[in-house]
Amino acid sequence: MNKKVLYKGCLEPILLKLLHENGRMYGYEITRKVKELTVGELNITEGALYPLLHRLEADGVLEAEMENIGNRVRKYYSLTQNGRKEKVKAVSELENFAKTLQLLLNPKPSF
Amino acid sequence: MNKKVLYKGCLEPILLKLLHENGRMYGYEITRKVKELTVGELNITEGALYPLLHRLEADGVLEAEMENIGNRVRKYYSLTQNGRKEKVKAVSELENFAKTLQLLLNPKPSF
DNA sequence: TGATTATATATAAGATTCTTATGTATATTT
DNA sequence: AAATATACATAAGAATCTTATATATAATCA
């Protein structure tokens, strides 16, 4: 498991990107998908995920629909129209961040 | 300027890496160097930097020496022996983080 | 010459985003 | 029957920043 503090702020863009790619997902599914994509490196905690999902829904970035699976309830989330704009912005910020990190980790030699 | 929250936790490894590469640096110099390396993207604030330098000195990761430049005082920091170990660990964590970010931003296609 | 910007360090209050812990409940595997 | 997996939810507290403020010298600009 990676040093967790480094991931601070990454959850939102990651979430929006996943929802963009998969159409709709529910919370638990998101935690599994992130773990799979990162080969076990990043485990999203419920204490971080659910409050974020609720906040993004309240902000009109996400919309939710409940679905009954047997006796259990799943809450599927998808991007709203505004959410798709937010996704572009958030992912672009994360990409920019990743590039800047590379500049620091592997500086271009100055001739 | 990048979304600042994403950089949370990155300052310490960046700092240790810079001190490793440059031998000794003072606070203001560090802020200029980071700005230069990141082409203006990352501006370290004093409110983040100085308390971190003090904490790392108190923890025996850094050692400081004052130097008089004209009528001004500079505080040069360098890695202690333990600091060099910490540097290896911290930078390796940051590199691992950067790789994991890449997995999320550019997932390997699953065949 | 006076004002602004750059150099240089320092600290305190508050914001944000997480972690950890806890709670509830059903389904599946051992 | 017990443990693990699935599924959602929230509250308290930790960590690391940002923003603002303070102090002081040096250099540049108008």
Side-chain angles (χ1 to χ4, degrees):
Chain A
M1 185 59 174
N2 220 320
K3 208 196 167 192
K4 292 179 181 176
V5 72
L6 293 173
Y7 288 93
K8 208 150 277 206
C10 296
L11 183 50
E12 185 174 330
I14 289 169
L15 181 60
L16 297 181
K17 184 170 152 71
L18 283 178
L19 286 174
H20 174 76
E21 282 159 8
N22 295 277
R24 59 199 281 268
M25 300 180 85
Y26 56 99
Y28 187 74
E29 185 186 11
I30 292 166
T31 67
R32 297 305 98 189
K33 188 66 179 177
V34 168
K35 188 171 186 178
E36 181 201 323
L37 285 171
T38 63
V39 203
E41 270 303 300
L42 181 53
N43 289 287
I44 293 177
T45 59
E46 303 103 308
L49 180 61
Y50 291 115
L52 176 61
L53 287 169
H54 301 161
R55 201 200 80 206
L56 292 174
E57 189 186 0
D59 290 351
V61 172
L62 302 182
E63 56 194 350
E65 22 173 15
M66 310 295 263
E67 205 155 302
N68 292 315
I69 308 290
N71 282 353
R72 263 221 290 277
V73 178
R74 273 186 199 159
K75 204 164 164 188
Y76 277 93
Y77 289 91
S78 53
L79 296 174
T80 61
Q81 193 166 7
N82 187 44
R84 287 187 281 278
K85 286 185 207 164
E86 280 301 312
K87 176 257 165 190
V88 172
K89 198 175 137 199
V91 171
S92 134
E93 277 165 354
L94 187 59
E95 283 169 343
N96 192 36
F97 166 63
K99 271 178 205 161
T100 303
L101 262 193
Q102 285 307 320
L103 292 179
L104 289 161
L105 286 170
N106 305 111
K108 299 266 160 42
S110 43
F111 294 91
Chain B
M1 185 59 172
N2 222 318
K3 207 195 168 193
K4 292 179 184 178
V5 71
L6 293 173
Y7 288 93
K8 208 152 277 208
C10 296
L11 182 51
E12 185 174 332
I14 289 168
L15 180 59
L16 298 181
K17 187 172 150 71
L18 283 178
L19 286 174
H20 173 76
E21 283 159 6
N22 295 279
R24 53 185 236 143
M25 299 179 85
Y26 57 99
Y28 187 75
E29 184 186 13
I30 292 167
T31 68
R32 298 304 96 189
K33 188 65 179 175
V34 168
K35 188 170 186 177
E36 180 200 326
L37 285 171
T38 63
V39 203
E41 269 304 300
L42 182 53
N43 290 287
I44 293 177
T45 58
E46 304 103 309
L49 180 61
Y50 291 113
L52 176 60
L53 288 169
H54 302 162
R55 201 200 82 206
L56 292 175
E57 189 186 1
D59 290 351
V61 173
L62 302 183
E63 55 193 353
E65 23 173 14
M66 310 296 264
E67 206 155 301
N68 292 316
I69 308 291
N71 282 353
R72 266 221 288 276
V73 179
R74 274 186 198 160
K75 206 165 164 187
Y76 277 94
Y77 289 91
S78 52
L79 296 174
T80 61
Q81 194 168 7
N82 187 45
R84 286 187 283 277
K85 287 185 204 164
E86 280 302 311
K87 176 257 166 189
V88 172
K89 199 175 136 197
V91 172
S92 135
E93 277 166 354
L94 187 59
E95 282 169 344
N96 191 36
F97 166 62
K99 272 178 204 161
T100 304
L101 260 194
Q102 284 306 321
L103 292 178
L104 289 161
L105 287 169
N106 305 110
K108 299 267 160 41
S110 43
F111 294 91

